[in-house]
Amino acid sequence: MKRSIFFKLLFGFSLIVIVLAGLILLFAYQPMRNYFIGISFTQLERLAVSLEPSILPYIDNAHFRELDAFVKSTGQKIDTRITVMNPDGVVIADSENDINTMENHRFRIEMQKALAGETGTAIRYSPTEHRQMLYVAVPLRKQNKVLCVVRTSIPFHNIDELLRTMKRRVGWATCATVSIGILFAAFFFLGFSMPLRELVRASRRVTEGDLGVRVSLKRQDEFGKLADSFNEMTNRLHLFFNALSAKNEEFNSIISSIREGLLVFDGKGRILMANKSFNEIAGMDQVIGKHFYEVIRSPEFSDLAEKILDQKNAVTGEIIIRNRIYLCSAVYLHTDEKIVCLFHDITELRRLERVKKDFVANVSHELKTPLTAIKGFVETVMDSADKETQRHLEIVGRNTDRLIRIVDDLLTLSEMEEKGFVLDLAEVDIKEVLKNALSFFEQKARDKGLALVLNIMTEVPAIQADRYRLEQLFINLLDNAVKYTEHGSIHITVKTQEKVLVIEIEDTGIGISEEHLPRIFERFYVADKSRSRKSGGTGLGLAIAKHIVHLHNGTITVTSTSGQGTKFTVTLPISRFPSV
Ligand code: ADP
């Protein structure tokens, strides 16, 4: 309360008023005193001058005794001391003292001036009266000659008394005025601080969360406008807050309803947010505030988190939590340095894939023996058959070959996809592998009039690889190149780039149109169906090629322009890579 604006204003105002009033009193006293002294001098002078006609006849007739009696009776009547002195300073009449006992007054200050022909004034101690007196001495002249000096005087304490009374009265009046002023100011400041207090109270309630509070000030001034603005502001805040709460609720219900696990953690790995599904994945009720490694005990996730914190980008990976497989997509939010992870359960998907692969492997295996038997049977019957039957048997034989190739390719894929599959690693000279693979196609290329060109750009180091699988990879790629090129050439280029070996197989064939490019590595995906079938394609060659490259920790990419040619680029790491 003491620190309120009302008390501050009142205290400040009172202090200023009191100090000003005090200063006025202080500085007004001296002028007032001088003014009273001046008035007293004037009155004494007038009195002395007015006595002149009465005194002169006594002087002229030398009736000094009568003059003394006149001065005594007049002085008593007007309560003023009157003294008459001759030009030598000898007192010839005095209203209060016996002139015979009085000393010569010639050297009194006022007397000196009067003898010089002017009105003399003085405030000094009177040796005769033994007190402070106010004197006025006026010379009485006759034909420019000073006949005598009339001196009127009053005790100084008369003026002092008057001034003291004056001071007392002015003091009281000032006190009364100041008090009334302060009282009025208090009322005024109260009217000023009340609406402020009301606004402060309302704002405090808003900060406490009460957005329904309103200020009602029935005033037209700035306070009234401030109250209106305040009410408008809280109104809008209320609406905004409601909308925000609704949005928040909506957001929360969406988050908790999604089946994917959602996890948000900060740069230090502390969990900031998680939905119900994530809690179920982690098998914990309360995860907020914990570190992610206390909640997800998965080395794959720790690697993924490390990677995203390092790269500050989007990362995706498969992780296993409590015996289930999840596809985890993590995104780094640069704005507030948070990581958002989404866990999608793919356990069932992976199981189905496994079932599918096993099924394909089993079927291929089961088909292989009967197909080989059919092929043998066709070849046996062929010799003893008539021409028409031979034609039919040829068709059967061709299709059986195709089926055997498909089964072989499927078995190759299944074999490589087996969990325990390991590459037969050894030091491999890629030049030899390529030359070997090329030798299979020399005749076919010659038949089609195609040039097969091998460019070895630099010294090629030996790499750790599975020779048989690499041969299989390049045979598949070269087979396609020869198959889908009618004229022109096939260039095989080998070069080194940083830590990888780059092998490019570029043909001038039919090319692959843009819409097929992203899918050609899929199993059984065939861009040009009729041509592929005619040339005995299975649609599995590139899938096998891709698999072999990945097993070697390499990459395979394709660029092509329809009608102009295709380029496959394979990269294989030169340095040691982990066996898969
Ligand atoms: P296929 O046995 O049918 O050749 P692949 O898996 O080897 O199967 O190839 C998939 C498809 O990609 C092919 O059917 C073909 O349409 C296309 N393709 C692959 N290599 C080439 C190439 N060098 N030129 C043109 N098309 C190609």
Side-chain angles (χ1 to χ4, degrees):
M1 192 68 173
K2 270 183 190 163
R3 268 191 248 140
S4 77
I5 194 147
F6 168 74
F7 278 99
K8 276 184 188 160
L9 282 174
L10 193 63
F11 178 74
F13 176 80
S14 309
L15 198 72
I16 291 169
V17 168
I18 290 166
V19 168
L20 283 180
L23 285 175
I24 288 169
L25 280 182
L26 199 73
F27 289 111
Y29 177 73
Q30 199 57 35
M32 236 152 64
R33 185 175 182 272
N34 293 343
Y35 175 74
F36 278 113
I37 290 171
I39 283 182
S40 301
F41 277 142
T42 312
Q43 281 175 349
L44 285 174
E45 189 183 3
R46 281 187 191 144
L47 177 67
V49 173
S50 68
L51 285 171
E52 194 181 322
S54 311
I55 290 172
L56 264 180
Y58 291 110
I59 300 288
D60 283 344
N61 300 319
H63 292 158
F64 298 119
R65 204 180 289 252
E66 286 79 3
L67 175 65
D68 191 46
F70 167 73
V71 163
K72 276 194 170 63
S73 77
T74 311
Q76 238 170 19
K77 274 184 216 153
I78 59 174
D79 199 19
T80 304
R81 184 180 167 200
I82 305 164
T83 313
V84 184
M85 290 149 287
N86 69 13
D88 296 328
V90 178
V91 178
I92 50 177
D94 187 88
S95 62
E96 282 173 21
N97 299 292
D98 180 1
I99 53 167
N100 297 320
T101 59
M102 291 175 73
E103 58 187 49
N104 191 300
H105 278 41
R106 188 189 181 109
F107 296 106
R108 301 288 201 268
I109 308 162
E110 68 282 1
M111 192 61 182
Q112 292 279 307
K113 272 200 169 177
L115 287 175
E118 291 169 28
T119 300
T121 58
I123 300 168
R124 59 174 178 77
Y125 180 78
S126 161
T128 322
E129 295 283 330
H130 305 291
R131 54 184 169 171
Q132 196 78 4
M133 298 287 285
L134 210 83
Y135 295 101
V136 175
V138 177
L140 288 194
R141 280 191 218 98
K142 201 169 189 185
Q143 285 148 12
N144 278 339
K145 198 173 154 240
V146 177
L147 274 185
C148 65
V149 174
V150 179
R151 190 182 74 174
T152 50
S153 58
I154 52 170
F156 190 74
H157 76 84
N158 283 6
I159 292 174
D160 257 356
E161 187 62 38
L162 193 70
L163 274 171
R164 260 200 298 279
T165 312
M166 233 1 229
K167 227 158 71 178
R168 228 178 3 252
R169 287 194 183 154
V170 171
W172 280 117
T174 310
C175 277
T177 314
V178 165
S179 305
I180 291 166
I182 290 174
L183 208 65
F184 275 111
F187 277 115
F188 175 73
F189 292 148
L190 208 61
F192 178 73
S193 72
M194 287 285 258
L196 261 186
R197 218 175 293 165
E198 178 70 13
L199 279 162
V200 168
R201 185 191 58 82
S203 328
R204 202 166 289 156
R205 280 181 59 190
V206 169
T207 48
E208 282 162 4
D210 181 4
L211 291 175
V213 66
R214 294 287 175 273
V215 182
S216 70
L217 297 178
K218 296 197 175 18
R219 301 167 65 132
Q220 300 299 317
D221 58 7
E222 280 83 350
F223 282 117
K225 284 180 192 148
L226 191 64
D228 288 346
S229 303
F230 181 88
N231 291 339
E232 177 66 21
M233 187 186 76
T234 45
N235 226 359
R236 284 189 183 201
L237 217 60
H238 205 170
L239 291 175
F240 180 65
F241 192 75
N242 284 348
L244 207 68
S245 302
K247 273 258 172 294
N248 212 17
E249 250 170 53
E250 195 184 355
F251 173 73
N252 281 340
S253 66
I254 290 171
I255 294 280
S256 54
S257 69
I258 55 171
R259 284 184 52 225
E260 275 76 17
L262 178 84
L263 174 76
V264 182
F265 60 88
D266 63 16
K268 288 180 183 140
R270 203 151 294 281
I271 297 176
L272 305 169
M273 191 177 142
N275 69 350
K276 217 169 118 220
S277 304
F278 178 80
N279 288 359
E280 281 162 14
I281 291 170
M284 274 189 202
D285 283 340
Q286 192 47 262
V287 297
I288 311 255
K290 289 189 177 149
H291 204 282
F292 71 74
Y293 56 65
E294 293 175 70
V295 177
I296 311 172
R297 298 195 187 276
S298 154
E300 298 95 350
F301 185 74
S302 300
D303 289 349
L304 192 120
E306 215 169 88
K307 205 165 155 193
I308 194 164
L309 287 171
D310 188 42
Q311 294 178 0
K312 297 190 173 12
N313 225 323
V315 177
T316 308
E318 269 188 38
I319 59 166
I320 299 170
I321 307 172
R322 303 202 305 147
N323 290 329
R324 293 198 71 81
I325 309 165
Y326 296 92
L327 181 71
C328 174
S329 313
V331 180
Y332 190 89
L333 302 182
H334 288 270
T335 40
D336 38 10
E337 297 181 344
K338 283 177 192 159
I339 293 100
V340 181
C341 301
L342 212 58
F343 297 82
H344 182 64
D345 192 338
I346 53 166
T347 317
E348 196 55 23
L349 201 76
R350 287 284 175 267
R351 196 185 65 80
L352 284 174
E353 266 178 18
R354 182 82 258 146
V355 168
K356 212 169 87 187
K357 278 176 189 164
D358 287 352
F359 172 74
V360 171
N362 290 339
V363 167
S364 310
H365 207 79
E366 292 304 320
L367 283 176
K368 177 102 195 208
T369 320
L371 283 171
T372 322
I374 292 169
K375 193 174 172 350
F377 176 72
V378 168
E379 276 165 8
T380 317
V381 182
M382 183 76 92
D383 296 337
S384 53
D386 56 42
K387 281 250 158 81
E388 182 65 12
T389 316
Q390 268 185 358
R391 211 171 48 83
H392 287 300
L393 283 174
E394 246 174 56
I395 298 171
V396 173
R398 227 179 18 251
N399 279 299
T400 312
D401 279 344
R402 193 170 131 74
L403 275 174
I404 289 173
R405 271 200 307 278
I406 293 176
V407 164
D408 281 343
D409 281 353
L410 281 174
L411 283 172
T412 306
L413 269 175
S414 304
E415 190 191 350
M416 285 192 293
E417 279 170 354
E418 265 309 307
K419 251 203 167 147
F421 178 78
V422 277
L423 290 171
D424 185 10
L425 293 176
E427 289 246 309
V428 173
D429 181 357
I430 207 82
K431 278 183 292 181
E432 266 181 36
V433 174
L434 283 167
K435 277 179 190 161
N436 222 12
L438 274 168
S439 67
F440 287 99
F441 300 98
E442 270 161 9
Q443 186 56 48
K444 210 173 168 187
R446 218 172 292 132
D447 293 347
K448 287 180 93 173
L450 302 172
L452 275 181
V453 189
L454 176 63
N455 293 322
I456 312 276
M457 308 290 277
T458 47
E459 190 144 316
V460 182
I463 59 165
Q464 284 277 313
D466 187 324
R467 167 187 275 278
Y468 171 68
R469 296 290 166 191
L470 282 192
E471 235 171 63
Q472 205 173 8
L473 157 73
F474 293 120
I475 285 172
N476 283 359
L477 295 177
L478 286 168
D479 184 39
N480 282 345
V482 175
K483 236 169 26 185
Y484 300 113
T485 308
E486 293 312 323
H487 21 247
S489 58
I490 294 152
H491 279 263
I492 301 107
T493 313
V494 183
K495 53 190 176 187
T496 50
Q497 226 172 53
E498 290 182 5
K499 288 174 181 165
V500 291
L501 211 59
V502 183
I503 303 109
E504 292 168 354
I505 297 169
E506 191 171 8
D507 62 53
T508 54
I510 58 165
I512 307 164
S513 57
E514 213 172 315
E515 81 254 30
H516 296 300
L517 273 180
R519 299 194 61 190
I520 58 160
F521 290 103
E522 288 176 17
R523 286 167 196 208
F524 296 112
Y525 194 82
V526 172
D528 189 336
K529 278 201 176 88
S530 63
R531 205 180 284 248
S532 171
R533 195 148 302 157
K534 218 168 17 174
S535 55
T538 61
L540 290 166
L542 289 183
I544 293 172
K546 186 178 163 188
H547 222 87
I548 294 172
V549 171
H550 283 180
L551 284 172
H552 282 83
N553 271 0
T555 61
I556 180 164
T557 51
V558 59
T559 52
S560 181
T561 313
S562 198
Q564 287 185 21
T566 308
K567 181 161 109 180
F568 281 92
T569 307
V570 174
T571 66
L572 295 169
I574 294 172
S575 56
R576 194 187 61 83
F577 61 89
S579 57
V580 185

